[in-house]
Structure formats: structure tokens, C-alpha cells
Amino acid sequence: MSVPQTTRDFQSNGSSMFKSSVNRRNFLQLATSGSLVLLCKFSDGQEVIAQASAVDPQHFAPDLFVSIAPDGTVTCVAHRSEMGTGIRTGLPRVLADELEADWERVSIAQAPGDKRLGDQNTDGSNSIRFFFDRMREAGATARTLLEQAAAKTWGVPASECYADNHTVKHRGSDRSLGFGELVATAKTLDVPTKDQLKLKPRSQWRYIGKDVPIRDLDNIVAGRAIFGIDARMENQLFAVIARPPVVGGKVSSVDETAARAIPGVVDVVKIPGFEGAPNFQPLGGVAVLATSTWAAWQGRDALQIAWDLGPNATYDTDVFAQQLKETVNQPGKTLREVGQAVDVIAKSGKRVSADYAVPHLSHAPMETTCAVANVSTAADGRVTACHILTATQNPQAVQSAVGPALGMNPDDVLCNVTLLGSGFGRKSKPDYCVEAALLSRHAGRPVHVTWTREDDLQHDYYHAIAAIHCEAAVDRDGKPEAWLQRVAFPTIGSTFDARANTPAAWEAEMGHTDLPFDVPNLRLEVGEARSHIRTGWLRAVCHIQQNFAVSSFVDELAAAASRDPLEFWLELLGEDRQLDMQAAGLGNRGADPKDYPYDIGRLKNVLRRAAESANWSRREKMPNGKGLGIAGARSFLGYTGHVIEVDVAKDGTLTVENVWVALDSGTIVSPDRVRSQLEGASIMALTQAKYGKITFKNGRAQQTNYDSYRMVKMADTPRSIHVDIVDSQAAPAGVGETGIASFAPALCNAIFAATGKRIRSLPIADHDLSWT
């Protein structure tokens, strides 16, 4: 089977059924030689996958991520998951740029889980940061060999040959050869080492920093694209699961009679729950397997189950929120200290303090979690093969979770990745894939597990409920001389270790211990908080609560000093400088501070740019009910400044008139996708700030669907979103999560400017914004 010319062809040209005997380990050879184990299209309920065949010896594959066919077709392996960010296009564009490939002759092959590819977790705003250089090196490797092949063909020095738009040319003549014509010779050459590569200068970049439609766009718009919810395997069953309503609960008894009477129901299966910490294993419960999702759903709802609810059945978020507030108003564990903040505050004649709170939040992706698994077993019940087809952010995590659950080597689990109907971190947690695998093993045929919206909202890995206490001693001009800050929330670590009850250093570093202000006395603490649910990372993670508190408190300090908030921000940040990460004990997300310094000048710059775009100077002249708010953050190694304009009617109706966001995330690969992510971040952050709240009573989540866990609608959304991307040559930093951190505090600061009402706890919907 020849390599299709475009990604669009991968969606329409496949015709062979998947053979479970195909070894996942051969994928990279197959993908880079034109023979692919790759999801293509579904029709008539059947999975259509490009058939694996013998490795084509005619293809030139000098690197795991790229191959070139004799006809000149370049195939790039995309190993990150596509969920709207454009990464399935962006990383191959970086490679194609360095290769000097014609983008119209580049095809993209989606990789399965394979640790040889490096990190595959499309999470943490790391894809471009982790693989920008790696993609350039892959492209440069292929380009260098093609140039050497041309030199050998012509009998000239390689220095006289250069690649240009899918051909190699000779500087001393008008000779040229297409990439395909050079494949046979290039295959015989030694692959150069990294230090032998010469990367293109920025001035010669052809695709990096330029807009282009993502390769999946036409299929997405036309409804032809394949998402996890569309995944099909031959002879598959559908499953919907009744899970314990309280985390850690178990089935005491079940009456299956009514469920089995539903037309289409094939079987009812108990799933064991996790032991110890939840990790990425199933919650347990009872699954109904049927010939359609609807029949499985109706069968699930007909089950009569008595639950042993377990130790978390008393969890009440109203009570827990008060406990967290009490915790942050008592001394905690110090993570960073400069000077003598506690003593200075105790002796100060003027202090400002405030307590902030953020509730549990749910990921609530539009496409709920879903996976189809096909598990084969020997006569003795031993698992011999497992194929997972799913919308996942991390196929290697699927392998790591499914393998032990089936008693097989994780590397032997084949996990193919569909497009994702959003994820926000939820789909990097593969408990749903384990459910599908266990059920397929039981049924002896493929099983597709679908979570309903109610399942999604009531059994999530929730964002942590949090409390933050901020306190400062200020001088006569209102500038802080000492800053004390305490946070308390259930740590994500509790999902993996039931004993974990204190925020980890990396969590605290998201807007808490990385406090950037020029204050001589600092004390930054964390308090204990036990998790009663599954706590997980959500887009922007702990920046959600910690930046909300910090940027809100800056605004409160400015108001207490009767100062302009922008001027106060800039003065508080101090001189342009770089934070001493080592002295502060900061991990910097594992990045080298030489490449990714905490640059105060860049943070100040995005604040100034957002303010300038918003015409900040008009703030003092705005009438009652209208206001501008400002906030800034360094998040996932990128910098944002937000200014938000609101109109609050006397009855409290809130209208977001304008959002201005300035972003400095270093080198940008795909400007249009960055703009889209910042616009989407504005909508998501507005949803969370205005409505986001998951509550628990008797251990059970009280919200069940979008009627009780509200999303912003068209009437709620900002009238205009203005995106300003800083032109930068710095190393590429985060984007997807970076745009969230400073939105909510800027919004709440704008509400204060408009009404005089200070929002210290989210969501805004819990507050009366009316004024007279």
C-alpha cells in the first residue's frame, strides 16, 4: 500500500481490517516506509485501518519522525494528540521547514503509543517546548543526507549543494534533483551526528511563524473526522457503566433482572474498584454490554444496585471549604522564605489581608471520555494481544495502565489515537481505557465504553477546591514591606499516593512560591488537606487558584493605597531582572533557567501592552457600572497580561465588553493556532470564573449536566477578544494553559472597578453584583 499524499487521504483511502497480529513495535519502521498501522476511516460501523505490510526497502527513513518515498512524498510522524491546538500540523511543519519540503507533498501519520518517540503526553503546554529542536534536527538530518546524495551524484562538494522546496540544487550550475530522485543514494549514506547538523537561520524559515490551515480542518468541518466517540471495531459491543456514587465505594449487591430484559442487552459485568490510591484504574461498578450505546445506557439505568459507599460518604464541600479557610489562617509548612515576613507583619502599623477561595471544577470536555478495546486471550485465559483505539492525550499512559490490568507488558499494548473532542487534561488519565480492556477480555470481542455527560461530571478527576490567605505589611505609600501567603488544597499527588495531603512543590510553584514581586520579606506556606475525591490536573492547574489570589490581592493593595493598579503592578515587580531560581528553590518546570528565565521585564511588558491596547488611561473617567481590570502571570514559562472591560447593570447583570490579552511565549510556530487558543482560553476561563463549581454532599457530586454545571453561552461571551502576540526570538514556551491564569483576576478586578464589590471567592454567580 503506497503512502497517501495528504492527511486527508488517510481519512478516506484505507480498506483493510486491523489484524491483531501486527506488532506495535514495528510501527515506526512501517510509518516511515509507507506501510502504516493507522486509523483511517469508519464506515458502516466497521473500523478501516491501513494494512501493515513488509517494510519497503525503497524508502529513505533516516530518523524516527520522517521518511521519504521514491516518488518524493515526505511522511512525518505525529506523536502528539490533536484536540484543537493544531499540534498534529505544527510539529510536522517545523520538521518540514528544516527539511525544505514542499508542504503540499507532506503527509502526516499519527503514531501509536511508543516510548521510543519520547514524551507523548499532550499536556502541560509542552509539545512545542519539548520537540521544537527535535523536529528541526530530524528535518536537518534528512536534508543533510539529501544534499550529500546530490553531491555524490554530481561529483561535487556537499557544500555546493542546498535543499530548496523539495529539490536539491547546485550553486555552481543550474542542476537540480527532486527529493524522490535522491532517495536511493541517500539511503546508502551514514546518518550525521547532531553536532554535524547545520540548522537553518531564522531568516530562512519557510513555515515556522506562518499561518496555515490545520490538516484535519476540512474533515472536521465536514463531519468526516474521526474522534474517539466514532471509533469502531468489527463485532464490537457497547458498554455504559454504573460507577460508585462516592469515590472508594463498592457494589454490595446488584439485581440485573430488569437490565437483562432490555432489548439489545448482551451481558452485565461487575468491574472491581481500585485498591489504595485511585491512580488511573477504574472506579469499579457494574457494566451493561449491549448492541448499541442506547441499549447499554437503558440497561445501566435499570440496574438495582446497593452500594457500600466507603469512607468518603461524609464529604461535604461546604464543611471542607471552611476547614481550608481555617487551615490557611494558621501557620503551615514554609516552602520559600526571604527576610522576616512574620515579624515585620506583626510589628507593622498598617496591614492588608484577604482570604480567597476556588471550588472544585470539572474538565467537562464536549466529547466525553470513550475508548474501544479488542483483547485476545489464549485457551488458558492469558492475554495475548490488546488493541486500544481511543481519544487520549497520552497513549503511553494508556499502555502503562492497561498492561498491568491485563497482566501483560505495557509495551505490548497497541494504542492508536483518534482526534479528541477537547481534553483539558481529562484524557491524559486513561481509567476509561482500562474499563474497555477489562470488558473486552471478559466478552471475548471488542467493547466500546462511552461515558455519559452525567458520568463525566460525577466521576471526574476534579480540580482541587482551594483556600488562599494573603497578608501584607505596607509602608506609608502602600507598598508591601512584607508578604505572607498560605495555600491549602488537596494535592494531585493523592491520586497516586493515598498518604499525600500537602501541595507538592511543583503545584505551589504555579503562582505561589514563584511570587515575582520586589518585596524584602516573603514567607510562602502550604497547609494540609486530605482528598476525598479523585484530584487531577485541569488546564492551567494550580494557576487557577493561586494566580486568582495573587493578582486579586495586588489589586486590593493598589486600592488600599489609592494607586492606579497598572502603576502599582509595575512598581511592585521592581527593576527589570531575572529571578534567581536556584536561590528561590524553584524547579522552573524542569526547564533550564538559561533558556527559560523568569524575566520580570517580559512580565511587565505584557502588562503594559495589554493596558496600552485597552487605552488604560480612560479608566478613571469611566461611569459607575463600567470598569477595567488588569492582571498578569507567568504560567507554563510564558507570560500573559490581561485587561478586561465590564459593564455591570444596576440589577447585577454582568457583560464582558472587551478582553485584551498580550502573550509572550517566545518563538511561535503557528500564530493562528495561538490566537485561537487564547480566544478559547478566554471563553473557558470566563466559564470557570462566572459559573464553575462542583459541590459534594454525602460524598456525591451534586452537578449532573450542563444545566447544573453551566457553560457560558453566546450572550455571556465577551463582545470582543483582542489578542496581541509578542514577536520574540526566545525559546518557545507554553500557550494552551498560559492564557487562563490571569483572566479570572482581571475580570474580578474589573467588577470591583465598576461596582466597588470585591470578589474573593469563585464563582461570580454566587455573588450579588447589583449596585445603586
Side-chain angles (χ1 to χ4, degrees), residues 86-299:
I87 198 61
R88 217 172 84 88
T89 300
L91 282 176
R93 288 271 287 181
V94 175
L95 190 157
D97 194 322
E98 197 64 50
L99 175 58
E100 273 293 320
D102 179 352
W103 184 242
E104 295 304 315
R105 301 183 68 184
V106 174
S107 63
I108 300 171
Q110 186 69 43
D114 193 312
K115 61 187 179 185
R116 293 176 298 167
L117 293 167
D119 187 301
Q120 286 185 265
N121 187 16
T122 312
D123 206 326
S125 296
N126 288 324
S127 292
I128 296 294
R129 176 167 80 91
F130 281 179
F131 290 97
F132 182 77
D133 290 342
R134 179 67 181 87
M135 292 300 110
R136 294 188 69 194
E137 291 163 8
T141 297
R143 171 174 50 78
T144 299
L145 287 168
L146 291 170
E147 291 169 346
Q148 292 175 356
K152 184 175 181 180
T153 300
W154 294 323
V156 300
S159 60
E160 296 181 4
C161 302
Y162 66 99
D164 178 30
N165 198 30
H166 233 78
T167 62
V168 177
K169 299 179 179 179
H170 180 232
R171 286 191 175 86
S173 67
D174 60 357
R175 286 177 290 186
S176 66
L177 290 168
F179 282 3
E181 297 175 276
L182 294 167
V183 162
T185 302
K187 282 171 51 61
T188 67
L189 303 177
D190 293 333
V191 175
T193 60
K194 181 178 178 179
D195 59 358
Q196 293 175 319
L197 300 177
K198 184 178 179 181
L199 300 179
K200 291 167 56 177
R202 185 178 291 259
S203 61
Q204 293 180 14
W205 286 354
R206 181 183 295 272
Y207 304 130
I208 299 170
K210 309 294 194 303
D211 287 334
V212 69
I214 62 172
R215 276 292 177 86
D216 301 295
L217 182 62
D218 289 352
N219 284 335
I220 290 172
V221 172
R224 295 189 298 266
I226 303 304
F227 294 83
I229 202 73
D230 307 308
R232 298 291 183 270
M233 292 187 185
E234 187 176 20
N235 196 37
Q236 75 171 40
L237 292 173
F238 298 83
V240 178
I241 301 170
R243 299 173 183 85
V246 177
V247 170
K250 301 182 184 302
V251 176
S252 292
S253 64
V254 56
D255 184 344
E256 309 169 358
T257 307
R260 290 185 178 277
I262 301 290
V265 169
V266 173
D267 203 356
V268 177
V269 183
K270 290 183 180 179
I271 299 177
F274 63 87
E275 297 292 338
N279 211 307
F280 296 146
Q281 294 305 305
L283 289 167
V286 183
V288 174
L289 279 59
T291 55
S292 69
T293 301
W294 179 248
W297 192 343
Q298 297 305 298

Side-chain angles (χ1 to χ4, degrees), residues 349-573:
K350 187 174 183 181
R351 288 176 286 179
V352 179
S353 67
D355 290 330
Y356 302 93
V358 172
H360 286 298
L361 297 170
S362 178
H363 297 82
M366 187 58 65
E367 177 196 43
T368 58
T369 48
C370 47
V372 57
N374 185 16
V375 176
S376 301
T377 58
D380 60 2
R382 177 176 49 85
V383 173
T384 57
C386 175
H387 176 211
I388 306 283
L389 188 58
T390 183
T392 178
Q393 293 175 243
N394 190 355
Q396 290 182 34
V398 174
Q399 294 174 296
S400 295
V402 170
L406 296 180
M408 63 187 301
N409 186 336
D411 289 348
D412 291 333
V413 175
L414 171 62
C415 179
N416 278 317
V417 183
T418 66
L419 297 178
L420 282 67
S422 70
F424 311 126
R426 175 60 182 97
K427 291 173 184 170
S428 58
K429 308 169 183 70
D431 56 320
Y432 56 101
C433 298
V434 181
E435 291 175 334
L438 293 175
L439 292 173
S440 175
R441 180 177 64 180
H442 173 88
R445 58 196 284 194
V447 174
H448 190 298
V449 168
T450 299
W451 287 44
T452 67
R453 177 61 58 201
E454 289 78 7
D455 296 336
D456 173 59
L457 286 175
Q458 298 202 303
H459 302 292
D460 199 2
Y461 289 82
Y462 301 97
H463 176 73
I465 186 172
I468 306 95
H469 173 77
C470 298
E471 188 172 353
V474 299
D475 62 19
R476 66 180 63 184
D477 296 321
K479 185 177 179 180
E481 297 177 312
W483 187 303
L484 170 66
Q485 189 165 285
R486 300 190 187 105
V487 303
F489 52 85
T491 174
I492 291 170
S494 63
T495 295
F496 309 98
D497 182 350
R499 300 166 298 178
N501 64 354
T502 305
W506 66 267
E507 292 173 298
E509 195 174 325
M510 293 182 173
H512 178 50
T513 53
D514 58 344
L515 202 71
F517 304 127
D518 184 17
V519 177
N521 299 282
L522 290 176
R523 187 175 177 118
L524 306 171
E525 304 175 0
V526 294
E528 293 184 358
R530 179 176 174 268
S531 181
H532 299 274
I533 47 88
R534 298 194 297 181
T535 301
W537 51 93
L538 167 67
R539 184 183 187 184
V541 202
C542 303
H543 288 287
I544 293 171
Q545 65 264 30
Q546 291 170 166
N547 280 109
F548 169 62
V550 169
S551 289
S552 296
F553 193 54
V554 172
D555 204 72
E556 294 212 40
L557 290 170
S562 300
R563 298 280 304 280
D564 177 90
L566 172 61
E567 293 178 0
F568 193 85
W569 258 100
L570 298 177
E571 181 179 316
L572 189 58
L573 286 168

